[in-house]
Amino acid sequence: MEPASSLKHTKHIFRVSFLLGFVLIVMILSRGLFVPKSWGQYGWYRGDAVPEHRAKPVVHGGDQSCRECHEDQYDLREEGAHVGVRCEGCHEPVGSHVINGEMTAPMFIPASFELCTGCHRRLAARPDDFSQVNPQQHLEDNEMDLTDTVCTECHDPHSPF
Amino acid sequence: MGHELIGFLFPNDVHIHWTLMIVLYPYVTGLVAGAFIVSSLYHVFDREELKPLGRFALAASFCFLSVATLPLLNHLGHPERGPMVVVTPNFSSAMAGFGILYASYFLVVILEIWFVFRADMIRYAAESRGFKRMFYATLALGVYDTSEEARALDHKITRILAAIGIPMACLLHGYVGFLFGALKSNPWWSTPLMPVIFLFSAVVSGIAVLIVLYQLAMKIKGMPIERETISALARWLWLFMIMSLTLELLEIMTLAYEKAEEWEVIGPLLANQLSISFISVQMVLGGLIPLILLGIVVVMGAYMDDRIRNTLSMVASLLLLMQVLAMRWNVVIGGQMFSKSMRGFRDTYVPGMFEKEGILAAAAILILPFLLLVVFERILPTFDHLGQKTGDLNLDLDSEPRLG
């Protein structure tokens, strides 16, 4: 075949290539629309995320922040097995309760056996020497029915024994 | 303060987060790869006995491909972000790698379909009017060249695309296996064999689904089921299922013989939690039995009544489709049944009926590609070129005598 006539029958190929090229260009151009401006400023994330997060109010205060007003529970916990479990781990961040030294809202009370079983339910993945119970078995052994507050009827959450 | 456990919450190693959807995802993707490879056996390697399926297999792999990411999109819950994988690519992400591979493979399949069916589109446009004509004309992108030269060119491009498609199909599905095989925290997944196992079982499921669909389609259309075609498919299926089963067993054997620390949990996993889905379904019902059935078809094929051959290969294919699904289940769910600490087991997983990722959603996703296939068949019939039309109207290339 001579080149002129072989090109004659390639119109459809040009057309489909054109269409493909068009889609590709639209895709490449639209990338700019979807990638946030500050992307990649420091790494594989939005640079603006840093100041945004920095501007958020601090809500956690640590155990010491509760101590000022709840000395009793703090001291109680110091003596018991829960000495390493943080107040805000069971309750909520201090910021939901106290702002600038003033109580703004009542603190959440985690009155549910799910709180305790979340840490103490027997699971294969937990170290053997960590205290775990099979909740059902434990309650049967102690002849109690399952209610939301059953665990705290015998154990003080701030000092379980 | 010096207390060891301050601020430390123990891991809650309880839930199975990768659900039925993550079982379906490699399953549907696997069907794509298998179907495409059958179509390529015809388009690239000129296996004449597979000619009746050359187009149909291509259409089937297109339909499965269209659905393959739905389980993932449903699981992640933000389908609108799906296309971002290709628009804003992240080449360091393994999962994004799948998206990019998937999209490029989709492109190859669509192009191949276009070149294979182009002459048909033009013919349908010429034969119809009004909206229908416009529709086919748009599909053909407005070029109506069905000359000898143009079709020869189409043919050549089809062959190139089909050839490019083979490694891509292998890569696509091998990659799904890689996604699991590369998770080094999980000994049930983390093996270099994983991509290979996934690839072979993908081809098995793809050929099996074609055997089922081909027989059904011929029944519906009242066309004869070609003996050569079924025999060839059964032979390929037998070969691939033997390899796939062997690899699956080899993996377990290695684990069992090495008896490294992970066997402490994988041994009981296979013996208890997975005893039904692995030993009974994946190995015996879906492995050994089809092995025997297909063995009969292959070895004694010459003396066999067509009816028996069709039935045997149909039953074997259905069992194998189940086997591959069970294999995906055993990998995906099985790998999450034991604690990451490898000291014991988590809760079992029973998918709910009406959950977002439950049985009903899974069934809908599994049915969808077949509905798509019916629609495809309406728009671009895949069997019509097999000598149904009269000579002069038929502009179809595939019905012409082949060279070489």
Side-chain angles (χ1 to χ4, degrees):
Chain A
M1 242 186 287
E2 47 170 319
S5 73
S6 74
L7 263 187
K8 219 174 86 190
H9 294 290
T10 51
K11 193 173 166 201
H12 63 292
I13 295 175
F14 280 114
R15 189 142 317 169
V16 79
S17 314
F18 178 78
L19 187 68
L20 268 181
F22 178 74
V23 170
L24 201 72
I25 288 170
V26 167
M27 240 169 69
I28 291 172
L29 291 183
S30 64
R31 182 177 184 275
L33 280 180
F34 293 111
V35 177
K37 270 223 167 57
S38 64
W39 181 268
Q41 193 178 350
Y42 307 115
W44 194 266
Y45 58 92
R46 227 162 24 91
D48 286 348
V50 180
E52 268 169 36
H53 277 281
R54 206 162 34 198
K56 283 186 176 166
V58 177
V59 289
H60 285 86
D63 294 346
Q64 295 303 324
S65 71
C66 314
R67 189 179 192 177
E68 294 168 37
C69 308
H70 299 291
E71 192 94 40
D72 289 356
Q73 282 83 4
Y74 188 90
D75 291 343
L76 189 61
R77 195 198 50 159
E78 279 300 89
E79 289 151 18
H82 273 169
V83 61
V85 186
R86 296 178 41 161
C87 314
E88 289 165 313
C90 287
H91 293 280
E92 276 190 347
V94 69
S96 69
H97 173 53
V98 172
I99 292 173
N100 292 335
E102 296 279 328
M103 191 181 97
T104 51
M107 176 53 102
F108 168 72
I109 293 193
S112 159
F113 74 93
E114 277 171 1
L115 170 75
C116 316
T117 52
C119 287
H120 286 293
R121 178 185 162 186
R122 183 161 290 289
L123 282 184
R126 290 185 178 145
D128 285 336
D129 58 359
F130 178 70
S131 23
Q132 305 163 61
V133 290
N134 175 341
Q136 207 177 345
Q137 187 67 44
H138 188 55
L139 291 181
E140 268 171 29
D141 289 350
N142 289 299
E143 293 174 352
M144 294 285 277
D145 292 327
L146 181 66
T147 60
D148 239 5
T149 53
V150 64
C151 306
T152 44
E153 277 170 39
C154 298
H155 301 285
D156 185 322
H158 302 120
S159 180
F161 278 135
Chain B
M1 273 197 342
H3 302 302
E4 261 179 71
L5 281 168
I6 281 217
F8 180 70
L9 299 186
F10 282 120
N12 279 324
D13 206 13
V14 180
H15 303 292
I16 288 185
H17 294 283
W18 286 4
T19 58
L20 202 53
M21 288 300 129
I22 312 300
V23 176
L24 280 195
Y25 152 62
Y27 189 60
V28 180
T29 319
L31 295 171
V32 178
F36 187 84
I37 282 169
V38 170
S39 124
S40 287
L41 281 174
Y42 170 68
H43 286 293
V44 181
F45 300 109
D46 291 333
R47 307 298 311 184
E48 276 300 317
E49 67 274 22
L50 294 177
K51 179 172 178 183
L53 277 176
R55 292 174 165 209
F56 181 71
L58 197 57
S61 82
F62 169 77
C63 295
F64 291 125
L65 201 55
S66 315
V67 175
T69 51
L70 282 192
L72 286 182
L73 297 178
N74 179 30
H75 175 73
L76 295 172
H78 272 287
E80 81 283 2
R81 292 183 192 162
M84 291 301 119
V85 166
V86 274
V87 177
T88 60
N90 173 359
F91 295 106
S92 64
S93 150
M95 202 57 226
F98 171 80
I100 293 163
L101 207 62
Y102 169 87
S104 357
Y105 179 61
F106 212 156
L107 190 68
V108 170
V109 171
I110 290 178
L111 280 177
E112 190 182 340
I113 287 183
W114 193 72
F115 281 107
V116 167
F117 288 94
R118 204 179 62 86
D120 282 7
M121 295 168 186
I122 297 167
R123 195 182 74 224
Y124 298 134
E127 285 172 0
S128 51
R129 34 199 77 265
F131 173 75
K132 205 170 159 203
R133 181 182 202 131
M134 220 161 73
F135 175 73
Y136 282 111
T138 316
L139 272 190
L141 298 182
V143 184
Y144 310 116
D145 187 355
T146 56
S147 64
E148 197 86 356
E149 291 91 334
R151 281 182 295 141
L153 208 55
D154 286 353
H155 201 181
K156 208 187 279 169
I157 293 176
T158 303
R159 192 182 281 243
I160 294 172
L161 285 172
I164 299 175
I166 299 174
M168 285 191 85
C170 294
L171 213 60
L172 179 78
H173 206 76
Y175 198 93
V176 175
F178 161 79
L179 287 174
F180 288 95
L183 295 176
K184 63 182 164 203
S185 62
N186 190 319
W188 184 229
W189 292 338
S190 168
T191 136
L193 262 188
M194 203 48 98
V196 191
I197 295 182
F198 265 65
L199 180 57
F200 276 93
S201 59
V203 178
V204 168
S205 65
I207 300 179
V209 83
L210 281 183
I211 290 184
V212 174
L213 286 176
Y214 175 56
Q215 295 203 18
L216 283 181
M218 293 299 97
K219 279 264 152 59
I220 293 169
K221 293 195 175 263
M223 290 166 76
I225 300 173
E226 299 292 338
R227 165 190 301 187
E228 286 303 305
T229 307
I230 288 289
S231 299
L233 286 175
R235 229 176 304 126
W236 287 109
L237 185 57
W238 198 47
L239 174 69
F240 277 106
M241 78 152 292
I242 289 175
M243 299 213 258
S244 149
L245 217 58
T246 312
L247 287 169
E248 282 161 25
L249 274 172
L250 276 176
E251 198 217 328
I252 305 292
M253 271 168 59
T254 316
L255 283 170
Y257 186 78
E258 280 182 359
K259 271 204 172 46
E261 66 274 16
E262 66 264 18
W263 186 249
E264 301 253 320
V265 68
I266 290 179
L269 177 75
L270 292 176
N272 303 311
Q273 276 84 349
L274 297 186
S275 64
I276 294 180
S277 60
F278 188 82
I279 299 173
S280 312
V281 180
Q282 192 183 333
M283 286 298 147
V284 180
L285 189 62
L288 191 63
I289 294 177
L291 182 76
I292 298 171
L293 295 183
L294 288 173
I296 297 174
V297 173
V298 172
V299 176
M300 313 213 290
Y303 316 102
M304 197 177 270
D305 183 62
D306 279 354
R307 269 262 204 59
I308 301 181
R309 180 184 309 104
N310 293 345
T311 313
L312 283 184
S313 47
M314 179 72 134
V315 173
S317 299
L318 289 172
L319 287 176
L320 279 169
L321 281 173
M322 187 182 65
Q323 192 260 356
V324 176
L325 188 60
M327 178 261 176
R328 309 291 194 235
W329 171 277
N330 291 332
V331 169
V332 175
I333 304 296
Q336 301 175 80
M337 277 181 170
F338 55 88
S339 155
K340 284 235 161 49
S341 65
M342 277 179 264
R343 289 156 21 135
F345 294 94
R346 295 176 176 171
D347 292 354
T348 48
Y349 167 67
V350 183
M353 183 55 85
F354 302 106
E355 285 166 13
K356 169 177 153 252
E357 304 181 32
I359 295 171
L360 220 58
I365 289 178
L366 267 187
I367 290 170
L368 201 58
F370 299 99
L371 295 182
L372 279 181
L373 201 55
V374 172
V375 175
F376 192 105
E377 190 66 36
R378 279 272 163 83
I379 298 175
L380 295 170
T382 57
F383 293 109
D384 279 9
H385 63 303
L386 301 170
Q388 294 297 86
K389 288 255 146 61
T390 47
D392 52 347
L393 238 184
N394 194 351
L395 298 169
D396 184 8
L397 190 72
D398 283 338
S399 59
E400 288 178 7
R402 284 171 159 277
L403 304 170

